[in-house]
Amino acid sequence: MFLAGIALAGAIACFYSLIPRAFAQSQSDDLPGVTELKKGDYENAIKLLTARLTTNAEDAETEKNLLRAYLETGRYVEAEASAKKFLLKTATAAGVRHQLAEVFASTGRYPEASAEFERASADAAKSPADKVSSDLRRAEVLELTGQEDRARPIFEALVTYYKEKQPDTAAELTAVGRALVHLEDTRTRTTFIARRSQLTLPISTPS
């Protein structure tokens, strides 16, 4: 049992060491404010993203990045207001809805967060990377609120998705890896980490 615990801890540490590289490869520097967002220069990111939205009001990717910057700086009121305003015009913007759910989760409104993550997943039906990210976060919120019986099937579905589809985008692999951590599936996680560390990930934009 003690050795198994050490192996589990090592696997978890190894997986989380891969996340920064996944995020670094998940955004395109061509988009305004993305370089600043990745560097943690959130105030400048907010200025650039806000400026772009002034002339491109329906740019869902820029809105999503703006919400991320607001979340990183604890500006939850502004994030919520901005997301709701955008969703009034573009209700099916899955990435924006995902970030609104993150606002709810960050402010302890877990039922609202779970509902928005579920809706974001449905809206992202044609974008597997966005869908699995929303599914994962919904399951994590359910688990956090003591609803393990509802969370576990979602985590298991993510692992099944990985085994059947063999995805290779940063968002999908990150979601699957986190699901494995929650499930404490040591054998599958070891195989996953070995494959994950060998991949050169393509550019993707997870929610």
Side-chain angles (χ1 to χ4, degrees), residues 139 142-155:
L142 290 171
E143 184 180 67
L144 178 65
T145 54
Q147 301 177 70
E148 291 88 353
D149 58 326
R150 296 178 63 195
R152 188 172 185 84
I154 301 174
F155 290 135

mmCIF file of all heavy atoms in Angstrom, residues 139 142-155:
data_model
loop_
_atom_site.group_PDB
_atom_site.id
_atom_site.type_symbol
_atom_site.label_atom_id
_atom_site.label_comp_id
_atom_site.label_asym_id
_atom_site.label_seq_id
_atom_site.Cartn_x
_atom_site.Cartn_y
_atom_site.Cartn_z
ATOM 1 N N ALA A 139 -17.602 17.618 -13.983
ATOM 2 C CA ALA A 139 -17.371 16.490 -13.075
ATOM 3 C C ALA A 139 -16.609 16.934 -11.835
ATOM 4 O O ALA A 139 -16.900 16.485 -10.713
ATOM 5 C CB ALA A 139 -16.617 15.384 -13.802
ATOM 6 N N LEU A 142 -19.000 18.686 -9.528
ATOM 7 C CA LEU A 142 -19.879 17.703 -8.887
ATOM 8 C C LEU A 142 -19.139 16.974 -7.773
ATOM 9 O O LEU A 142 -19.680 16.774 -6.673
ATOM 10 C CB LEU A 142 -20.392 16.702 -9.926
ATOM 11 C CG LEU A 142 -21.396 17.242 -10.945
ATOM 12 C CD1 LEU A 142 -21.650 16.218 -12.047
ATOM 13 C CD2 LEU A 142 -22.716 17.617 -10.270
ATOM 14 N N GLU A 143 -17.907 16.580 -8.035
ATOM 15 C CA GLU A 143 -17.118 15.896 -7.013
ATOM 16 C C GLU A 143 -16.862 16.812 -5.826
ATOM 17 O O GLU A 143 -16.950 16.384 -4.656
ATOM 18 C CB GLU A 143 -15.792 15.431 -7.611
ATOM 19 C CG GLU A 143 -14.933 14.611 -6.651
ATOM 20 C CD GLU A 143 -13.630 14.182 -7.281
ATOM 21 O OE1 GLU A 143 -12.791 15.074 -7.569
ATOM 22 O OE2 GLU A 143 -13.453 12.974 -7.501
ATOM 23 N N LEU A 144 -16.540 18.062 -6.101
ATOM 24 C CA LEU A 144 -16.263 19.033 -5.052
ATOM 25 C C LEU A 144 -17.458 19.210 -4.124
ATOM 26 O O LEU A 144 -17.301 19.443 -2.925
ATOM 27 C CB LEU A 144 -15.889 20.379 -5.685
ATOM 28 C CG LEU A 144 -15.594 21.548 -4.729
ATOM 29 C CD1 LEU A 144 -14.347 21.255 -3.908
ATOM 30 C CD2 LEU A 144 -15.417 22.839 -5.515
ATOM 31 N N THR A 145 -18.656 19.102 -4.671
ATOM 32 C CA THR A 145 -19.879 19.301 -3.886
ATOM 33 C C THR A 145 -20.467 17.990 -3.368
ATOM 34 O O THR A 145 -21.635 17.921 -3.028
ATOM 35 C CB THR A 145 -20.935 20.058 -4.727
ATOM 36 O OG1 THR A 145 -21.152 19.364 -5.965
ATOM 37 C CG2 THR A 145 -20.458 21.467 -5.030
ATOM 38 N N GLY A 146 -19.638 16.948 -3.323
ATOM 39 C CA GLY A 146 -20.062 15.692 -2.730
ATOM 40 C C GLY A 146 -20.930 14.809 -3.593
ATOM 41 O O GLY A 146 -21.564 13.866 -3.101
ATOM 42 N N GLN A 147 -20.952 15.082 -4.897
ATOM 43 C CA GLN A 147 -21.788 14.290 -5.808
ATOM 44 C C GLN A 147 -20.916 13.333 -6.628
ATOM 45 O O GLN A 147 -20.971 13.312 -7.857
ATOM 46 C CB GLN A 147 -22.581 15.213 -6.716
ATOM 47 C CG GLN A 147 -23.491 16.182 -5.961
ATOM 48 C CD GLN A 147 -24.223 17.131 -6.877
ATOM 49 O OE1 GLN A 147 -25.125 16.732 -7.618
ATOM 50 N NE2 GLN A 147 -23.838 18.395 -6.844
ATOM 51 N N GLU A 148 -20.126 12.538 -5.915
ATOM 52 C CA GLU A 148 -19.205 11.618 -6.588
ATOM 53 C C GLU A 148 -19.931 10.634 -7.495
ATOM 54 O O GLU A 148 -19.400 10.218 -8.525
ATOM 55 C CB GLU A 148 -18.382 10.852 -5.555
ATOM 56 C CG GLU A 148 -17.372 11.690 -4.791
ATOM 57 C CD GLU A 148 -17.962 12.325 -3.546
ATOM 58 O OE1 GLU A 148 -19.206 12.224 -3.350
ATOM 59 O OE2 GLU A 148 -17.194 12.924 -2.769
ATOM 60 N N ASP A 149 -21.163 10.258 -7.109
ATOM 61 C CA ASP A 149 -21.918 9.294 -7.918
ATOM 62 C C ASP A 149 -22.269 9.852 -9.293
ATOM 63 O O ASP A 149 -22.422 9.093 -10.263
ATOM 64 C CB ASP A 149 -23.189 8.868 -7.188
ATOM 65 C CG ASP A 149 -24.091 10.043 -6.844
ATOM 66 O OD1 ASP A 149 -23.571 11.142 -6.565
ATOM 67 O OD2 ASP A 149 -25.323 9.876 -6.858
ATOM 68 N N ARG A 150 -22.367 11.163 -9.407
ATOM 69 C CA ARG A 150 -22.631 11.798 -10.700
ATOM 70 C C ARG A 150 -21.333 12.159 -11.420
ATOM 71 O O ARG A 150 -21.285 12.190 -12.652
ATOM 72 C CB ARG A 150 -23.477 13.059 -10.503
ATOM 73 C CG ARG A 150 -24.869 12.803 -9.940
ATOM 74 C CD ARG A 150 -25.626 14.106 -9.738
ATOM 75 N NE ARG A 150 -25.838 14.807 -11.006
ATOM 76 C CZ ARG A 150 -26.214 16.085 -11.089
ATOM 77 N NH1 ARG A 150 -26.359 16.806 -9.981
ATOM 78 N NH2 ARG A 150 -26.405 16.643 -12.265
ATOM 79 N N ALA A 151 -20.281 12.428 -10.650
ATOM 80 C CA ALA A 151 -19.011 12.834 -11.245
ATOM 81 C C ALA A 151 -18.267 11.657 -11.865
ATOM 82 O O ALA A 151 -17.708 11.775 -12.962
ATOM 83 C CB ALA A 151 -18.126 13.495 -10.186
ATOM 84 N N ARG A 152 -18.262 10.532 -11.184
ATOM 85 C CA ARG A 152 -17.447 9.404 -11.635
ATOM 86 C C ARG A 152 -17.780 8.935 -13.055
ATOM 87 O O ARG A 152 -16.854 8.704 -13.852
ATOM 88 C CB ARG A 152 -17.551 8.234 -10.653
ATOM 89 C CG ARG A 152 -16.564 7.117 -10.972
ATOM 90 C CD ARG A 152 -16.516 6.037 -9.913
ATOM 91 N NE ARG A 152 -15.469 5.081 -10.221
ATOM 92 C CZ ARG A 152 -14.187 5.226 -9.909
ATOM 93 N NH1 ARG A 152 -13.799 6.309 -9.268
ATOM 94 N NH2 ARG A 152 -13.298 4.307 -10.245
ATOM 95 N N PRO A 153 -19.069 8.792 -13.427
ATOM 96 C CA PRO A 153 -19.353 8.371 -14.807
ATOM 97 C C PRO A 153 -18.810 9.331 -15.854
ATOM 98 O O PRO A 153 -18.444 8.906 -16.961
ATOM 99 C CB PRO A 153 -20.885 8.314 -14.843
ATOM 100 C CG PRO A 153 -21.297 8.102 -13.426
ATOM 101 C CD PRO A 153 -20.296 8.877 -12.625
ATOM 102 N N ILE A 154 -18.729 10.622 -15.525
ATOM 103 C CA ILE A 154 -18.192 11.599 -16.471
ATOM 104 C C ILE A 154 -16.689 11.403 -16.616
ATOM 105 O O ILE A 154 -16.152 11.391 -17.732
ATOM 106 C CB ILE A 154 -18.521 13.034 -16.027
ATOM 107 C CG1 ILE A 154 -20.034 13.233 -15.917
ATOM 108 C CG2 ILE A 154 -17.921 14.052 -17.005
ATOM 109 C CD1 ILE A 154 -20.448 14.568 -15.340
ATOM 110 N N PHE A 155 -15.995 11.227 -15.484
ATOM 111 C CA PHE A 155 -14.559 10.951 -15.547
ATOM 112 C C PHE A 155 -14.293 9.679 -16.356
ATOM 113 O O PHE A 155 -13.389 9.629 -17.189
ATOM 114 C CB PHE A 155 -13.982 10.787 -14.139
ATOM 115 C CG PHE A 155 -13.929 12.051 -13.325
ATOM 116 C CD1 PHE A 155 -14.332 12.052 -12.003
ATOM 117 C CD2 PHE A 155 -13.451 13.238 -13.874
ATOM 118 C CE1 PHE A 155 -14.267 13.213 -11.231
ATOM 119 C CE2 PHE A 155 -13.387 14.411 -13.120
ATOM 120 C CZ PHE A 155 -13.801 14.391 -11.790
#
